[in-house]
Protein backbone atom coordinates (compact mmCIF):
# COMPACT_ATOMS: atom_id res chain seq x y z
CA UNK A 1 0.00 0.00 0.00
CA UNK A 2 1.20 3.52 -0.77
CA UNK A 3 2.51 5.22 2.39
CA UNK A 4 0.11 7.62 4.10
CA UNK A 5 0.68 11.38 4.11
CA UNK A 6 -0.06 11.69 7.82
CA UNK A 7 -0.06 9.46 10.88
CA UNK A 8 -1.44 10.38 14.29
CA UNK A 9 -0.04 8.40 17.21
CA UNK A 10 0.70 8.60 20.90
CA UNK A 11 -2.81 9.18 22.21
CA UNK A 12 -6.25 7.59 22.50
CA UNK A 13 -8.44 7.64 19.39
CA UNK A 14 -12.22 7.62 19.69
CA UNK A 15 -13.54 5.79 16.63
CA UNK A 16 -17.30 6.05 17.33
CA UNK A 17 -17.45 2.30 16.61
CA UNK A 18 -19.23 0.49 19.44
CA UNK A 19 -17.33 -2.73 18.75
CA UNK A 20 -13.92 -1.06 18.61
CA UNK A 21 -14.34 2.31 20.24
CA UNK A 22 -10.67 2.97 21.00
CA UNK A 23 -7.46 2.92 19.01
CA UNK A 24 -4.08 4.62 19.35
CA UNK A 25 -3.09 5.47 15.78
CA UNK A 26 -4.68 6.80 12.57
CA UNK A 27 -3.21 7.07 9.07
CA UNK A 28 -4.43 9.55 6.45
CA UNK A 29 -3.74 9.78 2.73
CA UNK A 30 -5.09 12.79 0.86
CA UNK A 31 -8.58 13.44 2.20
CA UNK A 32 -9.21 9.90 3.50
CA UNK A 33 -8.49 7.89 6.62
CA UNK A 34 -6.78 4.72 5.37
CA UNK A 35 -5.99 2.90 8.62
CA UNK A 36 -7.08 2.92 12.26
CA UNK A 37 -5.41 0.77 14.86
CA UNK A 38 -2.34 0.62 17.05
CA UNK A 39 1.39 0.11 16.48
CA UNK A 40 0.82 -1.66 13.15
CA UNK A 41 -0.36 1.66 11.69
CA UNK A 42 3.09 3.13 12.29
CA UNK A 43 4.58 0.44 10.06
CA UNK A 44 2.75 2.01 7.10
CA UNK A 45 4.69 5.27 7.36
CA UNK A 46 7.13 6.14 4.61
CA UNK A 47 10.04 8.60 4.46
CA UNK A 48 7.70 11.47 3.56
CA UNK A 49 4.95 10.66 6.04
CA UNK A 50 4.32 13.35 8.65
CA UNK A 51 3.96 11.78 12.09
CA UNK A 52 1.97 13.77 14.65
CA UNK A 53 2.55 12.90 18.30
CA UNK A 54 -0.73 13.37 20.17
CA UNK A 55 1.20 13.45 23.45
CA UNK A 56 -1.62 11.69 25.23
CA UNK A 57 -4.36 13.94 23.89
CA UNK A 58 -7.62 12.46 22.63
CA UNK A 59 -8.23 12.35 18.87
CA UNK A 60 -11.92 12.45 17.96
CA UNK A 61 -13.92 12.69 14.72
CA UNK A 62 -15.00 16.19 13.70
CA UNK A 63 -17.87 17.59 15.72
CA UNK A 64 -21.16 18.38 13.95
CA UNK A 65 -23.38 21.24 15.12
CA UNK A 66 -27.09 20.62 14.57
CA UNK A 67 -28.21 24.25 15.08
CA UNK A 68 -26.04 27.13 13.93
CA UNK A 69 -26.40 30.43 12.01
CA UNK A 70 -23.03 30.88 10.27
CA UNK A 71 -24.01 33.68 7.88
CA UNK A 72 -25.69 35.86 10.49
CA UNK A 73 -22.98 35.08 13.03
CA UNK A 74 -20.24 35.79 10.53
CA UNK A 75 -21.81 39.14 9.67
CA UNK A 76 -21.82 40.14 13.35
CA UNK A 77 -18.21 39.03 13.77
CA UNK A 78 -17.23 41.35 10.94
CA UNK A 79 -19.07 44.32 12.41
CA UNK A 80 -19.21 45.56 16.02
CA UNK A 81 -18.45 42.28 17.76
CA UNK A 82 -19.17 42.32 21.50
CA UNK A 83 -18.69 38.59 22.01
CA UNK A 84 -16.44 37.43 24.82
CA UNK A 85 -16.88 40.58 26.92
CA UNK A 86 -19.08 40.98 29.99
CA UNK A 87 -18.55 44.57 31.19
CA UNK A 88 -20.19 47.80 30.11
CA UNK A 89 -16.80 49.48 29.98
CA UNK A 90 -15.53 46.94 27.42
CA UNK A 91 -18.73 47.16 25.37
CA UNK A 92 -18.44 50.92 25.22
CA UNK A 93 -14.76 50.71 24.28
CA UNK A 94 -15.49 48.31 21.41
CA UNK A 95 -18.48 50.29 20.17
CA UNK A 96 -16.51 53.55 20.19
CA UNK A 97 -13.55 51.88 18.46
CA UNK A 98 -15.78 50.41 15.75
CA UNK A 99 -17.61 53.71 15.17
CA UNK A 100 -14.31 55.62 14.96
CA UNK A 101 -12.86 53.06 12.54
CA UNK A 102 -15.97 53.16 10.29
CA UNK A 103 -17.00 56.83 9.97
CA UNK A 104 -18.85 56.18 6.69
CA UNK A 105 -21.08 53.36 7.99
CA UNK A 106 -24.64 54.64 8.31
CA UNK A 107 -25.68 52.10 10.97
CA UNK A 108 -23.57 50.69 13.80
CA UNK A 109 -24.61 47.04 13.94
CA UNK A 110 -23.29 43.81 15.37
CA UNK A 111 -23.95 42.12 18.67
CA UNK A 112 -22.93 39.59 21.28
CA UNK A 113 -23.61 41.46 24.52
CA UNK A 114 -24.48 39.47 27.62
CA UNK A 115 -27.65 39.96 29.66
CA UNK A 116 -25.96 39.60 33.05
CA UNK A 117 -24.02 42.82 32.44
CA UNK A 118 -27.15 44.93 32.89
CA UNK A 119 -29.81 45.12 35.63
CA UNK A 120 -32.70 42.96 34.48
CA UNK A 121 -30.77 42.16 31.31
CA UNK A 122 -31.93 45.43 29.75
CA UNK A 123 -29.31 48.02 28.72
CA UNK A 124 -30.43 51.58 28.09
CA UNK A 125 -30.21 53.90 25.13
CA UNK A 126 -28.38 56.49 27.27
CA UNK A 127 -25.42 54.11 27.56
CA UNK A 128 -25.19 53.99 23.76
CA UNK A 129 -25.95 57.69 23.24
CA UNK A 130 -22.86 58.53 25.29
CA UNK A 131 -20.73 56.66 22.74
CA UNK A 132 -22.58 57.11 19.42
CA UNK A 133 -25.11 59.98 19.54
CA UNK A 134 -25.25 60.81 15.83
CA UNK A 135 -25.81 57.45 14.08
CA UNK A 136 -28.35 54.68 14.75
CA UNK A 137 -27.04 51.69 16.72
CA UNK A 138 -28.60 48.21 16.67
CA UNK A 139 -26.83 45.44 18.63
CA UNK A 140 -28.36 42.01 19.20
CA UNK A 141 -27.67 40.18 22.43
CA UNK A 142 -26.00 36.77 22.60
CA UNK A 143 -29.19 34.75 22.30
CA UNK A 144 -30.66 37.00 19.60
CA UNK A 145 -33.94 37.43 21.45
CA UNK A 146 -33.27 41.06 22.29
CA UNK A 147 -31.57 44.15 20.86
CA UNK A 148 -29.89 47.21 22.36
CA UNK A 149 -30.60 50.44 20.46
CA UNK A 150 -29.77 54.10 20.88
CA UNK A 151 -32.02 57.15 20.68
CA UNK A 152 -31.27 57.81 17.01
CA UNK A 153 -32.40 54.30 16.06
CA UNK A 154 -35.63 54.70 18.04
CA UNK A 155 -36.28 58.05 16.36
CA UNK A 156 -35.81 56.59 12.87
CA UNK A 157 -38.24 53.79 13.74
CA UNK A 158 -40.75 56.27 15.17
CA UNK A 159 -40.87 54.47 18.52
CA UNK A 160 -42.25 56.67 21.32
CA UNK A 161 -44.14 56.25 24.56
CA UNK A 162 -47.29 55.98 22.45
CA UNK A 163 -45.97 52.99 20.44
CA UNK A 164 -47.77 49.80 21.41
CA UNK A 165 -45.87 46.57 21.98
CA UNK A 166 -46.17 44.14 19.07
CA UNK A 167 -48.09 40.92 19.74
CA UNK A 168 -44.87 38.89 19.76
CA UNK A 169 -42.53 41.22 21.64
CA UNK A 170 -41.97 44.01 24.13
CA UNK A 171 -40.50 47.50 24.13
CA UNK A 172 -38.71 47.97 27.43
CA UNK A 173 -39.68 51.33 28.92
CA UNK A 174 -38.33 53.92 31.32
CA UNK A 175 -40.39 55.15 34.32
CA UNK A 176 -42.10 57.73 32.11
CA UNK A 177 -43.26 55.12 29.60
CA UNK A 178 -40.77 56.01 26.87
CA UNK A 179 -38.60 53.39 25.15
CA UNK A 180 -35.58 52.71 27.36
CA UNK A 181 -33.34 51.18 24.71
CA UNK A 182 -33.98 47.40 24.78
CA UNK A 183 -36.31 45.65 22.35
CA UNK A 184 -37.44 42.09 23.07
CA UNK A 185 -38.36 39.38 20.55
CA UNK A 186 -40.72 40.68 17.83
CA UNK A 187 -40.13 44.28 18.89
CA UNK A 188 -36.60 43.92 17.54
CA UNK A 189 -38.00 44.14 14.03
CA UNK A 190 -39.34 47.64 14.61
CA UNK A 191 -35.73 48.80 14.29
CA UNK A 192 -34.11 45.75 12.73
CA UNK A 193 -36.15 46.08 9.54
CA UNK A 194 -34.49 49.47 8.94
CA UNK A 195 -30.94 48.11 9.11
CA UNK A 196 -29.42 47.93 5.60
CA UNK A 197 -29.29 44.35 4.34
CA UNK A 198 -25.91 42.71 3.87
CA UNK A 199 -24.78 42.42 0.26
CA UNK A 200 -24.18 39.06 -1.39
CA UNK A 201 -20.43 39.66 -1.12
CA UNK A 202 -20.72 40.47 2.59
CA UNK A 203 -22.72 37.29 3.18
CA UNK A 204 -20.13 35.13 1.45
CA UNK A 205 -17.33 36.76 3.44
CA UNK A 206 -19.40 36.19 6.59
CA UNK A 207 -19.88 32.50 5.83
CA UNK A 208 -16.16 32.00 5.24
CA UNK A 209 -15.37 33.92 8.45
CA UNK A 210 -17.75 31.74 10.46
CA UNK A 211 -16.46 28.58 8.79
CA UNK A 212 -12.91 29.40 9.84
CA UNK A 213 -14.05 29.83 13.45
CA UNK A 214 -16.07 26.61 13.40
CA UNK A 215 -13.14 24.68 11.95
CA UNK A 216 -10.84 26.11 14.63
CA UNK A 217 -13.08 24.45 17.24
CA UNK A 218 -13.08 21.11 15.43
CA UNK A 219 -16.60 21.59 14.01
CA UNK A 220 -16.37 20.15 10.52
CA UNK A 221 -20.07 19.98 9.59
CA UNK A 222 -23.25 21.76 10.59
CA UNK A 223 -26.92 22.30 9.87
CA UNK A 224 -27.89 25.91 9.24
CA UNK A 225 -31.00 26.39 11.38
CA UNK A 226 -32.64 28.90 9.02
CA UNK A 227 -32.14 29.06 5.25
CA UNK A 228 -34.58 31.07 3.16
CA UNK A 229 -36.45 34.30 3.74
CA UNK A 230 -37.10 34.85 7.42
CA UNK A 231 -37.42 37.74 9.91
CA UNK A 232 -34.53 36.71 12.15
CA UNK A 233 -31.33 36.43 10.15
CA UNK A 234 -29.86 36.92 6.69
CA UNK A 235 -30.81 34.25 4.15
CA UNK A 236 -27.55 32.42 3.54
CA UNK A 237 -28.74 30.25 0.64
CA UNK A 238 -26.92 32.27 -2.03
CA UNK A 239 -23.71 32.28 0.00
CA UNK A 240 -23.79 28.50 0.32
CA UNK A 241 -24.46 28.14 -3.39
Amino acid sequence: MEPPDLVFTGGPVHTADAARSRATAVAVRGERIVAVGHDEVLDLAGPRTEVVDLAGRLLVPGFQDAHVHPVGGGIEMGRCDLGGAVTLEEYRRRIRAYADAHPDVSWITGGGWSLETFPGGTPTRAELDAVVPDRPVYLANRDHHGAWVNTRALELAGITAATADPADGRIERDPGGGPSGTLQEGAMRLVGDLVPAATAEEQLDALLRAQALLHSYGITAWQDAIVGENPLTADGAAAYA
Side-chain angles (χ1 to χ4, degrees):
M1 184 172 70
E2 184 180 347
D5 300 317
L6 186 63
V7 168
F8 295 93
T9 185
V13 176
H14 178 63
T15 66
D17 182 343
R20 191 184 182 192
S21 61
R22 292 284 176 147
T24 57
V26 173
V28 178
R29 186 186 310 112
E31 299 297 323
R32 290 183 175 273
I33 293 173
V34 294
V36 178
H38 299 283
D39 291 345
E40 73 280 4
V41 175
L42 297 176
D43 296 335
L44 303 176
R48 297 185 179 181
T49 299
E50 178 184 358
V51 178
V52 176
D53 182 2
L54 297 172
R57 293 170 295 182
L58 175 67
L59 182 67
V60 298
F63 295 106
Q64 298 191 31
D65 193 321
H67 186 124
V68 65
H69 302 280
V71 177
I75 288 172
E76 284 191 7
M77 289 167 58
R79 294 182 178 176
C80 186
D81 184 8
L82 303 181
V86 292
T87 67
L88 176 58
E89 292 75 16
E90 178 62 14
Y91 292 152
R92 291 178 64 169
R93 186 195 68 78
R94 293 191 191 186
I95 295 166
R96 181 180 291 108
Y98 181 84
D100 290 346
H102 300 83
D104 298 329
V105 172
S106 60
W107 280 75
I108 305 299
T109 62
W113 54 272
S114 190
L115 277 72
E116 68 264 27
T117 304
F118 305 96
T122 56
T124 70
R125 57 177 170 165
E127 293 157 343
L128 283 178
D129 292 345
V131 183
V132 184
D134 57 335
R135 284 180 283 171
V137 180
Y138 178 89
L139 301 167
N141 67 18
R142 291 186 185 181
D143 64 22
H144 276 249
H145 291 274
W148 183 15
V149 297
N150 68 346
T151 296
R152 183 60 182 144
L154 292 166
E155 290 173 347
L156 289 174
I159 301 174
T160 68
T163 305
D165 289 344
D168 59 347
R170 183 173 70 250
I171 302 168
E172 298 292 349
R173 301 177 188 273
D174 59 31
S180 63
T182 301
L183 305 174
Q184 307 283 13
E185 301 290 356
M188 298 169 65
R189 294 195 296 274
L190 299 176
V191 172
D193 285 348
L194 303 179
V195 176
T199 66
E201 182 179 4
E202 288 173 324
Q203 289 193 33
L204 178 57
D205 288 344
L207 178 57
L208 295 176
R209 184 181 299 117
Q211 175 177 269
L213 179 65
L214 290 163
H215 285 174
S216 76
Y217 291 140
I219 298 171
T220 58
W222 59 82
Q223 293 171 279
D224 193 314
I226 301 180
V227 176
E229 293 297 329
N230 68 89
L232 300 178
T233 185
D235 176 14
Y240 281 113

